[in-house]
Amino acid sequence: MPFRRPRFVHGKILRNTGSGIFYRMEVAIPEPLSFVPGQFAMVSGWPGNDPLLPRPLAIFRSGGTRGKGTVEFVYKVVGRGTALLSGLHGGDPLALTLPLGHGFEFPGEDRSWWLVGGGVGFSTVFPAAAALDAQRSDFEIFLGARTRDQLPPGDWIPGGAIPGRVHLCTDDGTAGFFGSVTAALRERLDRWKPSGKGRLAILACGPREMLKTVAEAALPLDVRVQVSLESHMACGFGVCWGCVTEVREGGKAVYRRVCKEGPVFDAREVVW
Amino acid sequence: MPFRRPRFVHGKILRNTGSGIFYRMEVAIPEPLSFVPGQFAMVSGWPGNDPLLPRPLAIFRSGGTRGKGTVEFVYKVVGRGTALLSGLHGGDPLALTLPLGHGFEFPGEDRSWWLVGGGVGFSTVFPAAAALDAQRSDFEIFLGARTRDQLPPGDWIPGGAIPGRVHLCTDDGTAGFFGSVTAALRERLDRWKPSGKGRLAILACGPREMLKTVAEAALPLDVRVQVSLESHMACGFGVCWGCVTEVREGGKAVYRRVCKEGPVFDAREVVW
Amino acid sequence: MTSPVTPDLTVRVGTVLLKNPVISASGTFGYGLEFTPFYDISRLGAVIVKGLSLLPTPGNAPGRIVETPAGMLNAIGLQNIGVDRFVTEVAPRLADAGAVCAANIYGRTVEEYEAVARRLSEVPMLAAIELNASCPNVKEGGIAFGSTPEGLSGLTRRVRAATGKPLWVKLSPNVSDIGAIARAAEEAGADAVTLINTIVGMAVDPRTRRPKLSNVTGGLSGPAVKPVALRMVWEACKAVKIPVIGIGGIQSAEDALEFLLVGAAAVQVGTANFRNPNACVEIIDGIRDFLVREKISRLDEYRGTLLL
Amino acid sequence: MTSPVTPDLTVRVGTVLLKNPVISASGTFGYGLEFTPFYDISRLGAVIVKGLSLLPTPGNAPGRIVETPAGMLNAIGLQNIGVDRFVTEVAPRLADAGAVCAANIYGRTVEEYEAVARRLSEVPMLAAIELNASCPNVKEGGIAFGSTPEGLSGLTRRVRAATGKPLWVKLSPNVSDIGAIARAAEEAGADAVTLINTIVGMAVDPRTRRPKLSNVTGGLSGPAVKPVALRMVWEACKAVKIPVIGIGGIQSAEDALEFLLVGAAAVQVGTANFRNPNACVEIIDGIRDFLVREKISRLDEYRGTLLL
Ligand SMILES: Cc1cc2nc3c(=O)[nH]c(=O)nc-3n(C[C@H](O)[C@H](O)[C@H](O)COP(=O)(O)OP(=O)(O)OC[C@H]3O[C@@H](n4cnc5c(N)ncnc54)[C@H](O)[C@@H]3O)c2cc1C
Ligand SMILES: Cc1cc2nc3c(=O)[nH]c(=O)nc-3n(C[C@H](O)[C@H](O)[C@H](O)COP(=O)(O)OP(=O)(O)OC[C@H]3O[C@@H](n4cnc5c(N)ncnc54)[C@H](O)[C@@H]3O)c2cc1C
Ligand SMILES: Cc1cc2nc3c(=O)[nH]c(=O)nc-3n(C[C@H](O)[C@H](O)[C@H](O)COP(=O)(O)O)c2cc1C
Ligand SMILES: Cc1cc2nc3c(=O)[nH]c(=O)nc-3n(C[C@H](O)[C@H](O)[C@H](O)COP(=O)(O)O)c2cc1C
Ligand code: FES
Ligand code: FES
């Protein structure tokens, strides 16, 4: 049985290769892992105590068989921790706590799925797309980047880069839609007609401003929007209360842990 | 002109390969370097501030031509810093301050040279042997290790592992002389007859206890003994006063900096 | 003497007997139950839960943690569910898990401290109450009480009178003379002192020109503070006769042994839990291995044997 | 406003004008001349030499430094050549090198402090005297004076009367209320305060059971202490009107800017010199680049502009 409850494991890097501005890293772990799209791992792979804290990375994929698991991540170098990760080689050890957090929900009544990834946010929504693709659900993908080179390689896209189903957007127009991913989403929403088949659901991950815009565009149309938030984390499993974000619960604004009650929240609850 | 005064340079690792328990690392530096055997470098090659301090390593060899220098080190993994070094790969950056310290002296009147290296101490005396070999001076090498595998590879020995000239010693008798390098040295001293050609000089590097024994055996015979001492260092270039050792100067015991007045001291002056 | 196979790790903190000296630190271990996926928390010497207040506390606005070299600043602001929910919802589950537990408490006023202590006195499963007189992140988090011997003495006396539980007083390191502070707690009736809480620190962003924490300042913890914590624990051990519980930057068995060597009765592990959720049990195992290697049959023979 | 090509980095520490805010810290820069192989030391805002005493001081026995997570402990014990040799042998060479210099001083008694200050008053090339009232590593290194406002006030007054040089008083961080200490120095006539000196710490070897420093305790410095130093500098800036010189864990221009942002008039760089002898000049260049990038023409426009 693949494990589903959080564990701290010592992994070993199998591959850690760059593709454009993204790195894709595969790690061998002692047992196969079962995860919900949107869940993440806390990763620390460097010697010494500086940086001290592990870094959260969405679980991109998992595999393996009994006694021999693998897990994959996709990341972008933005600071010291991710720079250190990018310098690791096959064979190097990596410590992981996983799977963590509350992932996306897939209730039966939602039948159409739109997945929105801004920047490296695709690493969080692709696993959801892969799951939908596997069960032959109806989904579309919206990917936003500043420029062409900052889009993920086409063969990483679950189901392939099928035009009409995959909407690439670049701020500078070097690929796909000329403009932001939220602008493309708005256009698509304008053309969208609720079918009899069920509700539309949006799963989004990206910069907070983007998520807010997605929520503002879609919520008034009674679309169910789930957003995966980011936050600085110390522990990742709910014991430090460092990562909180403000959400509305029962009419009251309260601080909820992004690592535990999130990272995926119902967009209606988030205090933007 | 190769540089001789200390500089802080950013190097790039060319090779960093293990041979038995020793690593040999070659680093490209911006300019060729001229050094005195016994001089050392402060090396720091890891990201982050933990470990914080650079580590001293004897300069094993230098090369290169104008605008393109190389420097080599030999080291043994004993703790965190050296473990980090051993994990570095070709292409990785390395920061170096070099050349540092007061190296061995080669005054004209000393004509016979015995070089004594205990453990990784050979990394400090081999450069001296290489210099003597180059000027066809008369030298012998004594190398001590716990066991056969902990001796340096024969082809690292300046002038080659010529029997009679090179005395290998192992505590467990698995190679060469069965016993400590100091025991072998004592035997050799018993057989030694001062020739008319000049004085005998001993250059030694290794554990402090070994150096003390060398000094006690040789100084009474009026042999000139130079020892290279170790010490925990913060700066390596004489500004923190962290690395001092007690030496006698003009009849008084004073604290002198191992990194500046040393690491090579006249064994008569050291307060053991 | 033959080498013992399983050294005796038990330690005594006043009247409280612990199966080993490793205690999880308040604020870094949630309510304890979050660790049950990782290991059986009854293996710990004790579990100390997040600081409890009379009423649920929302905590500070986000921007609560900043990483620093080998350390971190936090300004959580003591977000917690309040003592009532702890007593009714959490304590029974901790008891079921077989954990030895202590509750860390704080109040905005002396009266609140007393009320929380009184409420917790009714909970049989609690082995001790740890009085947080040193949280730097809320105005009323005790640091006002904890930074002078007089303030600490007054607070300790009042809480001492309010509860029959063993009382551990947690000290602030932001003081000139930790020995005097520890003595004040001892004289006021503390059964033990715990130190150190976090050191007040700050971080700002040169570009945005803003503090990185919403609270402006926060508490520094982690390996960075270990040398300071060890020195203060050593000084406290010399200053008082009651047990001293050492904490600050402990990440490994080696670190824990340093605190035990200078005289600590037990140790707490905080920030280390974040990077390695198994830190506490790995430290217990490491201490045991050390004693076996050094042929020491009882931890008590090792404690406080620093050679000067 | 057009982007300035070369921003104005000059700062004023009281009456002392510095070409930039970066000063090398006492005890980490030798007598300054050791750095001449690396760069032209006249490029620095100022150079502060190793703490000078009336007579040459041998310092502590070896076992003087220990590395700690992102920091180090030192217990050098103020080994130095004494004020006379400094005045006759070193000062002229520093003057030749074109360096702006301040001398850090300490004494075992108030009288010794006065005598050293008096002797240095005769040296025209010295821009200021920095009074070390905070060395934790020798009994008489000032920490006794520096840990209470009264002690510091008395010492500062006496040294103030003994010299006409600008007097910078270097404060100990091992206190409950840094603001009160800074005010004491100000009221006693200091022209500026420098903080922080090292935080008292300790390290022991669990196996040998011995302290790692011959002096048992030592002073913690380096990146580990930066958050604490920054907080204290911020508090001192709010407490006094005289300039505050910020120090503690600065390794990069970004770090230095944090101190300037909270109000420091200038900064000192200590431990960073060890790993990177060029640290000070790289920090100067980095500050300049930052101002260019941010289109700030004068450092003085940036200093103390923290947004709260
Ligand atoms: C649940 C979750 C899942 C994530 N999944 C992925 C993923 O799959 N791939 C990926 O590339 N990244 C992911 N991230 C973001 C990733 O964790 C950060 O980029 C990383 O921690 C930065 O570390 P660093 O040391 O490189 O940067 P730092 O040096 O720590 O910081 C660099 C910059 O990034 C900012 N930053 C750092 N951490 C965060 C954070 N958690 N949120 C927002 N800003 C931050 C800093 O303020 C700074 O401006 C995820 C974050 C969360 C919370
Ligand atoms: C001038 C000089 C030249 C040197 N040349 C070489 C060389 O060519 N090759 C080589 O392998 N080593 C050499 N050394 C020793 C080398 O510097 C240390 O092995 C290294 O600093 C240890 O770092 P670490 O982080 O791996 O060990 P740490 O984790 O710092 O320490 C591991 C153990 O080694 C001890 N230790 C650490 N540093 C020293 C030291 N400087 N002296 C004595 N004990 C120490 C510690 O106390 C501890 O027990 C030299 C030392 C000096 C002073
Ligand atoms: C995120 C966080 C929250 C904390 N909350 C509390 C608390 O509620 N009560 C308390 O007494 N100490 C609290 N502390 C302090 C720790 O218990 C401990 O004293 C300090 O972190 C030093 O130990 P460490 O370096 O092992 O973390 C907290 C520390 C951190 C890092
Ligand atoms: C090895 C060493 C020696 C020091 N000697 C002195 C000294 O003689 N006088 C003094 O005022 N401060 C001395 N200090 C303290 C530093 O000047 C500085 O205040 C402290 O190290 C914090 O700054 P940093 O983190 O940048 O090193 C010394 C520090 C170190 C590390
Ligand atoms: S990161 Fe610790 S509670 Fe979320
Ligand atoms: S290591 Fe700093 S003086 Fe020698």
Side-chain angles (χ1 to χ4, degrees):
Chain A
M1 278 283 293
F3 66 100
R4 300 168 183 281
R5 296 187 77 197
R7 285 200 195 169
F8 176 69
V9 299
H10 293 282
K12 190 177 202 152
I13 293 176
L14 296 171
R15 266 183 323 118
N16 185 26
T17 48
S19 185
I21 63 162
F22 301 110
Y23 282 78
R24 188 156 170 174
M25 177 168 69
E26 192 181 4
V27 187
I29 53 176
E31 289 288 332
L33 151 81
S34 166
F35 75 103
V36 177
Q39 283 193 307
F40 65 98
M42 292 298 277
V43 174
S44 58
W46 41 85
N49 295 301
D50 182 41
L52 178 69
L53 300 171
R55 298 296 194 260
L57 291 182
I59 300 171
F60 193 71
R61 209 159 76 164
S62 72
T65 52
R66 174 147 192 77
K68 216 176 124 201
T70 60
V71 57
E72 264 182 85
F73 304 100
V74 166
Y75 63 94
K76 188 179 145 185
V77 174
V78 301
R80 299 177 58 210
T82 45
L84 278 170
L85 282 183
S86 73
L88 298 178
H89 299 78
D92 286 346
L94 198 72
L96 308 154
T97 306
L98 79 176
L100 298 171
H102 172 85
F104 292 112
E105 292 177 3
F106 301 88
E109 73 268 27
D110 293 327
R111 290 287 161 71
S112 272
W113 303 87
W114 293 0
L115 312 179
V116 187
V120 73
F122 71 84
S123 67
T124 300
V125 295
F126 279 9
L132 294 166
D133 193 39
Q135 64 189 52
R136 299 182 177 286
S137 292
D138 176 24
F139 68 93
E140 296 181 25
I141 294 178
F142 298 77
L143 296 176
R146 219 162 39 71
T147 185
R148 179 197 187 87
D149 304 336
Q150 305 193 351
L151 285 166
D155 57 356
W156 291 9
I157 302 175
I162 298 168
R165 181 155 97 177
V166 176
H167 312 270
L168 304 177
C169 314
T170 51
D171 295 345
D172 65 358
T174 45
F177 180 85
F178 191 157
S180 69
V181 68
T182 48
L185 186 77
R186 271 186 210 279
E187 281 201 2
R188 181 72 186 83
L189 275 171
D190 287 343
R191 290 186 287 121
W192 170 71
K193 290 274 153 355
S195 71
K197 290 192 294 171
R199 288 176 61 189
L200 172 63
I202 292 180
L203 314 182
C205 182
R208 202 169 167 104
E209 267 313 302
M210 177 202 107
L211 298 178
K212 186 180 172 191
T213 310
V214 170
E216 286 168 353
L219 288 180
L221 306 178
D222 199 28
V223 174
R224 190 181 139 99
V225 181
Q226 297 177 57
V227 293
S228 180
L229 298 183
E230 286 205 358
S231 175
H232 286 248
M233 294 182 174
C235 70
F237 52 97
V239 300
C240 77
W241 280 274
C243 62
V244 298
T245 195
E246 214 174 6
V247 303
R248 257 180 308 271
E249 272 183 26
K252 250 185 33 191
V254 290
Y255 293 129
R256 287 289 174 252
R257 295 165 296 187
V258 171
C259 72
K260 189 89 177 180
E261 284 79 39
V264 175
F265 290 92
D266 184 325
R268 283 171 309 189
E269 292 175 358
V270 176
V271 179
W272 293 105
Chain B
M1 276 285 292
F3 67 99
R4 301 170 182 278
R5 296 187 76 196
R7 285 200 195 170
F8 176 70
V9 300
H10 293 284
K12 191 180 204 147
I13 293 176
L14 296 172
R15 266 185 322 119
N16 185 27
T17 47
S19 185
I21 64 163
F22 302 109
Y23 282 78
R24 190 155 169 174
M25 176 167 70
E26 193 181 5
V27 188
I29 53 175
E31 289 288 332
L33 150 81
S34 166
F35 75 103
V36 177
Q39 283 193 308
F40 65 99
M42 291 298 277
V43 174
S44 59
W46 43 85
N49 294 301
D50 183 41
L52 178 68
L53 299 172
R55 297 298 192 259
L57 290 182
I59 300 171
F60 194 70
R61 208 157 79 166
S62 73
T65 52
R66 175 146 192 78
K68 215 176 123 206
T70 60
V71 58
E72 264 182 87
F73 304 100
V74 166
Y75 63 94
K76 188 178 147 186
V77 174
V78 300
R80 299 177 58 209
T82 45
L84 278 168
L85 282 183
S86 72
L88 298 178
H89 298 77
D92 286 346
L94 199 72
L96 307 155
T97 307
L98 78 178
L100 298 171
H102 171 85
F104 292 112
E105 293 178 3
F106 300 87
E109 73 268 25
D110 293 325
R111 291 284 161 73
S112 272
W113 303 88
W114 292 0
L115 312 179
V116 187
V120 72
F122 72 84
S123 67
T124 301
V125 296
F126 279 9
L132 293 167
D133 192 41
Q135 64 188 51
R136 301 182 176 283
S137 292
D138 176 23
F139 69 93
E140 295 181 26
I141 294 179
F142 297 77
L143 295 176
R146 219 163 37 72
T147 185
R148 181 198 184 87
D149 303 338
Q150 305 194 351
L151 285 167
D155 58 355
W156 290 9
I157 302 174
I162 298 169
R165 181 153 97 176
V166 176
H167 310 270
L168 305 178
C169 315
T170 52
D171 295 345
D172 64 358
T174 45
F177 179 84
F178 191 158
S180 69
V181 67
T182 48
L185 186 77
R186 271 188 209 279
E187 281 202 2
R188 181 72 187 86
L189 275 171
D190 289 342
R191 288 185 288 119
W192 171 70
K193 290 274 153 354
S195 71
K197 290 192 294 172
R199 286 177 61 187
L200 172 63
I202 292 180
L203 314 183
C205 183
R208 204 169 165 103
E209 268 313 302
M210 177 203 106
L211 299 178
K212 186 181 171 191
T213 310
V214 170
E216 284 168 353
L219 288 179
L221 306 178
D222 200 30
V223 174
R224 189 179 140 99
V225 181
Q226 298 177 55
V227 291
S228 181
L229 299 183
E230 287 205 359
S231 175
H232 285 247
M233 294 183 175
C235 70
F237 53 96
V239 300
C240 75
W241 279 274
C243 62
V244 297
T245 195
E246 213 174 5
V247 303
R248 257 181 307 270
E249 271 183 27
K252 249 183 35 189
V254 291
Y255 293 127
R256 288 287 173 255
R257 295 165 296 187
V258 171
C259 72
K260 189 90 175 179
E261 284 78 40
V264 175
F265 290 91
D266 185 324
R268 282 172 308 190
E269 291 174 0
V270 177
V271 180
W272 294 104
Chain C
M1 206 182 75
T2 61
S3 148
V5 174
T6 306
D8 177 1
L9 293 190
T10 55
V11 296
R12 204 173 267 290
V13 179
T15 56
V16 184
L17 186 73
L18 305 179
K19 64 167 76 75
N20 64 59
V22 178
I23 303 172
S24 68
S26 180
T28 66
F29 211 73
Y31 296 108
L33 301 165
E34 295 87 342
F35 279 82
T36 52
F38 298 110
Y39 57 84
D40 173 1
I41 57 174
S42 75
R43 290 177 60 193
L44 299 179
V47 167
I48 303 190
V49 295
K50 175 70 191 167
L52 298 167
S53 52
L54 192 55
L55 300 176
T57 302
N60 293 329
R64 289 183 172 186
I65 52 174
V66 182
E67 194 179 41
T68 69
M72 63 178 281
L73 290 168
N74 88 78
I76 307 301
L78 291 167
Q79 175 166 3
N80 79 96
I81 56 175
V83 69
D84 274 328
R85 273 188 64 196
F86 172 76
V87 170
T88 54
E89 296 173 25
V90 179
R93 295 176 61 200
L94 282 168
D96 286 349
V100 174
C101 264
N104 181 277
I105 68 167
Y106 87 94
R108 288 169 302 177
T109 60
V110 175
E111 290 69 30
E112 280 192 14
Y113 271 106
E114 288 175 315
V116 181
R118 245 183 250 115
R119 181 84 172 87
L120 291 171
S121 305
E122 307 156 15
V123 185
M125 63 81 65
L126 277 182
I129 290 178
E130 186 178 69
L131 181 68
N132 180 357
S134 45
C135 179
N137 297 326
V138 295
K139 251 216 203 82
E140 315 83 356
I143 204 161
F145 303 111
S147 44
T148 63
E150 303 72 41
L152 185 66
S153 177
L155 175 65
T156 305
R157 250 176 250 285
R158 294 277 293 270
V159 178
R160 169 72 298 168
T163 180
K165 293 274 186 199
L167 185 64
W168 302 349
V169 177
K170 188 156 174 189
L171 307 182
S172 166
N174 304 287
V175 298
S176 311
D177 183 352
I178 194 73
I181 297 278
R183 265 193 308 272
E186 177 177 45
E187 283 159 15
D191 295 295
V193 287
T194 301
L195 65 156
I196 60 174
N197 209 315
T198 54
I199 308 180
V200 184
M202 184 175 179
V204 299
D205 183 325
R207 223 184 40 71
T208 64
R209 304 194 192 185
R210 291 188 189 280
K212 290 188 176 171
L213 293 170
S214 69
N215 191 50
V216 185
T217 60
L220 184 64
S221 66
V225 308
K226 200 194 74 177
V228 179
L230 186 71
R231 185 263 304 179
M232 288 193 165
V233 168
W234 181 62
E235 287 179 354
C237 288
K238 291 190 296 180
V240 298
K241 294 202 184 56
I242 53 174
V244 173
I245 303 172
I247 169 170
I250 296 174
Q251 288 224 310
S252 64
E254 173 120 341
D255 293 339
L257 288 161
E258 290 196 46
F259 283 81
L260 296 165
L261 182 59
V262 303
V267 296
Q268 293 184 11
V269 176
T271 302
N273 292 301
F274 300 158
R275 182 156 69 170
N276 177 357
N278 293 341
C280 288
V281 287
E282 289 181 9
I283 290 171
I284 297 170
D285 291 343
I287 292 174
R288 180 175 297 116
D289 293 349
F290 174 85
L291 295 179
V292 170
R293 244 182 357 255
E294 299 282 315
K295 305 200 196 326
I296 300 169
S297 56
R298 294 171 48 235
L299 179 58
D300 259 342
E301 291 168 18
Y302 180 77
R303 277 192 42 239
T305 60
L306 182 68
L307 302 171
L308 284 181
Chain D
M1 206 183 77
T2 60
S3 148
V5 174
T6 306
D8 177 1
L9 294 191
T10 54
V11 297
R12 205 174 266 289
V13 178
T15 56
V16 183
L17 186 73
L18 305 179
K19 64 167 78 75
N20 64 60
V22 179
I23 303 173
S24 67
S26 180
T28 66
F29 212 73
Y31 296 108
L33 302 165
E34 295 87 341
F35 279 81
T36 52
F38 298 109
Y39 57 82
D40 173 1
I41 57 174
S42 74
R43 290 177 61 192
L44 300 178
V47 167
I48 303 191
V49 295
K50 176 70 191 167
L52 297 167
S53 51
L54 192 56
L55 300 177
T57 302
N60 293 330
R64 290 182 171 186
I65 53 175
V66 182
E67 194 178 41
T68 69
M72 63 178 280
L73 291 168
N74 89 78
I76 307 299
L78 291 166
Q79 175 166 4
N80 79 95
I81 56 175
V83 69
D84 274 328
R85 272 186 66 195
F86 173 76
V87 171
T88 54
E89 296 173 27
V90 180
R93 294 174 60 198
L94 283 167
D96 286 349
V100 174
C101 264
N104 180 277
I105 67 166
Y106 87 95
R108 288 169 301 175
T109 60
V110 175
E111 290 68 30
E112 279 190 14
Y113 271 107
E114 288 176 317
V116 181
R118 246 182 250 116
R119 181 82 172 88
L120 291 171
S121 305
E122 307 156 15
V123 185
M125 64 81 66
L126 278 182
I129 290 177
E130 185 177 70
L131 182 67
N132 179 359
S134 46
C135 179
N137 297 326
V138 293
K139 253 218 204 83
E140 314 83 356
I143 203 161
F145 303 112
S147 43
T148 63
E150 303 73 40
L152 186 66
S153 178
L155 175 66
T156 306
R157 248 176 251 286
R158 293 276 295 270
V159 177
R160 169 72 297 169
T163 179
K165 293 276 185 198
L167 184 64
W168 302 348
V169 177
K170 188 156 176 189
L171 307 182
S172 167
N174 304 289
V175 298
S176 310
D177 183 351
I178 194 72
I181 296 277
R183 265 193 308 273
E186 178 178 44
E187 283 159 15
D191 295 294
V193 287
T194 302
L195 65 157
I196 61 172
N197 209 315
T198 54
I199 308 180
V200 184
M202 184 173 177
V204 298
D205 182 326
R207 223 184 40 73
T208 65
R209 304 194 191 183
R210 294 189 185 281
K212 290 188 177 172
L213 293 169
S214 68
N215 191 51
V216 184
T217 61
L220 185 65
S221 67
V225 308
K226 199 194 76 176
V228 178
L230 186 71
R231 185 263 303 178
M232 289 195 165
V233 167
W234 182 62
E235 288 179 355
C237 289
K238 292 190 297 182
V240 298
K241 295 203 183 58
I242 53 173
V244 173
I245 303 172
I247 168 168
I250 296 174
Q251 288 224 310
S252 64
E254 173 119 339
D255 293 339
L257 287 161
E258 289 197 46
F259 283 81
L260 296 165
L261 182 60
V262 303
V267 296
Q268 292 185 11
V269 177
T271 303
N273 292 301
F274 301 157
R275 182 156 70 169
N276 177 356
N278 292 340
C280 287
V281 288
E282 288 181 9
I283 290 170
I284 297 169
D285 291 344
I287 293 173
R288 179 176 297 115
D289 293 348
F290 173 85
L291 295 178
V292 169
R293 241 176 8 250
E294 298 282 314
K295 305 203 196 325
I296 300 168
S297 57
R298 293 174 46 237
L299 179 58
D300 259 342
E301 292 169 18
Y302 180 78
R303 278 193 41 240
T305 60
L306 182 69
L307 302 171
L308 284 181

